Amino acid sequence: MKFSLPYISNILSYFRENENYLHKVNDVFFSDDSIFPSSRKSPLRKEHWEELSEIHQNYGIQLNYVLNPTVWENSTYSASGKIRILKNLDTLKKNNVSIITLNNTLLLNDPVIRKALSVFTLKNSVNNMITSLDQVMFFVEDLGIKSIFLGRDINRNLDEIKKISSYAKKEGVVLHALVNEFCLNRCPYKFFCDSIISQAYKDSEDFKSLNNKRKTLSCGDGWPLKKYLKSAVIYPRQVEILGEYVDIFKIGGRLNDLSRLRPTLDAYLLGKDVLLTQLINQKVSFNKLRVSDIPEFYFSKTLNCKSLCRSCNFCESILEGS
């Protein structure tokens, strides 16, 4: 069981502070603004590549590039778009990137791009929303992807995770899951969310307005605490249980700086106790509920509750008296 961490500013200083825990780190993931970027864009300059190289060479941590050619842009599928993707892959290979996270699996239908990707360990995105054994089998047997990122909606369905794990072990498939995820399971806004995020880098005021609406409609810092308890978070104590079935756990947070992400990293890597809202990178401070304040039976029940929230008030009951 290992972790996949976001490449953020000063992450190398965090590694230097905590070298005794780096055996738990499988890779650092990152992206840039070179290919039809989403709102998670950031330019990779020479100093960034040098830092990534130091992380890889000094600590043996793999480099994981999030190839994010948006599904929603027509130019992704043009001849010029294909050239940009191929040039990008060549640059990544020269810079010791060994893992590619691909959200747009339609590109695998192009034999040239598929061949260029074959030199990397190819992994799908959490946003491909794989939540069943049948879907896993499609990605493995039809698309040839042997490193499978499970969708957030399966985080509270241990029965299905066990089925998938049994298949994965037989087929030599590596399973991934996202831990600090505060999206609601089966969120009705998810497709709208992804669409707007993929377009939000544009300067258009219309897109900026839509993106602001997306934040207020679906999630954000104004959530009541009960929604966090109903969300798809995998807590550090649950990681120990799921580690029997899932190989690598991703800690999200590419858009945060170290000061904001540190409590999350400390909770999962170092085992430190933190505020619930710190665990999922949120600014919310209206409630001082710590992870250690949550009763043990919450963690065992929610691992396999199937997120049947409309017919259950279990999470609300946890908050009574908190």
Side-chain angles (χ1 to χ4, degrees):
M1 179 189 74
K2 291 198 172 187
F3 291 95
S4 175
L5 307 185
Y7 174 64
I8 57 173
S9 61
N10 296 320
I11 191 68
L12 186 55
S13 65
Y14 184 85
F15 287 167
R16 290 168 179 156
E17 293 171 23
N18 299 286
E19 289 188 349
N20 290 338
Y21 296 89
L22 296 187
H23 64 280
K24 297 181 179 181
V25 181
N26 180 74
D27 63 86
V28 292
F29 62 91
F30 62 99
S31 60
D32 62 10
D33 60 353
S34 63
I35 299 181
F36 318 108
S38 73
S39 63
R40 292 178 174 84
K41 67 173 183 175
S42 57
L44 278 178
R45 301 185 179 91
K46 182 181 178 182
E47 60 267 28
H48 298 132
W49 280 116
E50 290 173 349
E51 191 170 51
L52 285 164
S53 178
E54 185 174 346
I55 289 171
H56 174 62
Q57 292 180 9
N58 289 2
Y59 301 113
I61 294 172
Q62 296 185 81
L63 304 183
N64 176 359
Y65 183 83
V66 181
L67 184 65
N68 195 28
T70 176
V71 176
W72 314 95
E73 278 276 323
N74 289 338
S75 54
T76 300
Y77 311 101
S78 66
S80 60
K82 178 177 176 179
I83 290 171
R84 288 174 66 181
I85 292 171
L86 292 172
K87 284 183 176 179
N88 184 264
L89 291 174
D90 187 56
T91 299
L92 297 174
K93 182 181 176 182
K94 291 175 181 177
N95 283 280
N96 295 314
V97 171
S98 57
I99 304 170
I100 295 290
T101 299
L102 181 68
N103 74 326
N104 189 348
T105 53
L106 183 62
L107 294 172
L108 293 174
N109 288 327
D110 186 299
V112 177
I113 292 179
R114 180 183 276 273
K115 182 178 179 181
L117 286 167
S118 67
V119 300
F120 303 94
T121 296
L122 186 60
K123 173 168 64 70
N124 67 286
S125 166
V126 65
N127 291 325
N128 291 132
M129 294 180 281
I130 298 177
T131 58
S132 70
L133 176 57
D134 282 348
Q135 290 171 308
V136 170
M137 293 173 71
F138 169 76
F139 272 74
V140 173
E141 297 171 15
D142 290 56
L143 298 183
I145 297 176
K146 303 276 278 187
S147 198
I148 299 294
F149 208 129
L150 300 175
R152 53 181 63 78
D153 289 352
I154 202 175
N155 284 1
R156 294 194 168 186
N157 190 345
L158 184 58
D159 289 340
E160 192 67 20
I161 290 174
K162 287 180 177 179
K163 291 179 187 177
I164 292 171
S165 174
S166 178
Y167 168 81
K169 285 179 169 60
K170 291 177 184 175
E171 299 297 326
V173 172
V174 176
L175 294 181
H176 304 249
L178 178 60
V179 290
N180 55 328
E181 171 57 72
F182 67 93
C183 285
L184 288 179
N185 286 332
R186 298 187 293 275
C187 176
Y189 300 112
K190 188 70 184 83
F191 286 104
F192 173 68
C193 219
D194 286 345
S195 176
I196 295 302
I197 286 175
S198 73
Q199 299 291 319
Y201 69 94
K202 295 186 175 180
D203 294 328
S204 165
E205 290 301 319
D206 290 337
F207 276 112
K208 291 177 182 177
S209 175
L210 277 172
N211 198 34
N212 288 332
K213 287 182 180 179
R214 175 189 68 83
K215 292 177 181 178
T216 57
L217 280 171
S218 57
C219 55
D221 292 337
W223 266 18
L225 195 61
K226 67 179 180 180
K227 281 201 173 183
Y228 290 108
L229 290 174
K230 291 175 180 289
S231 65
V233 178
I234 299 174
Y235 294 86
R237 273 178 270 183
Q238 293 174 319
V239 165
E240 296 301 320
I241 299 171
L242 288 176
E244 183 178 346
Y245 312 104
V246 176
D247 302 289
I248 299 171
F249 294 91
K250 174 184 173 180
I251 298 176
R254 268 186 287 160
L255 301 184
N256 296 317
D257 57 26
L258 182 58
S259 63
R260 186 165 172 181
L261 192 62
R262 182 185 288 274
T264 308
L265 297 175
D266 286 352
Y268 286 102
L269 291 180
L270 280 58
K272 291 186 177 181
D273 184 32
V274 297
L275 293 173
L276 172 62
T277 49
Q278 288 178 312
L279 188 70
I280 46 185
N281 304 336
Q282 294 303 289
K283 298 176 183 176
V284 182
S285 58
F286 61 81
N287 190 297
K288 298 301 181 182
L289 185 70
R290 304 188 74 81
V291 174
S292 60
D293 295 329
I294 303 173
E296 190 65 36
F297 62 81
Y298 166 86
F299 299 108
S300 57
K301 181 176 177 63
T302 55
L303 264 180
N304 204 32
C305 69
K306 313 291 197 300
S307 296
L308 302 174
C309 300
R310 292 294 178 184
S311 58
C312 175
N313 69 343
F314 175 72
C315 289
E316 285 89 338
S317 71
I318 295 298
L319 296 175
E320 293 176 4
S322 65

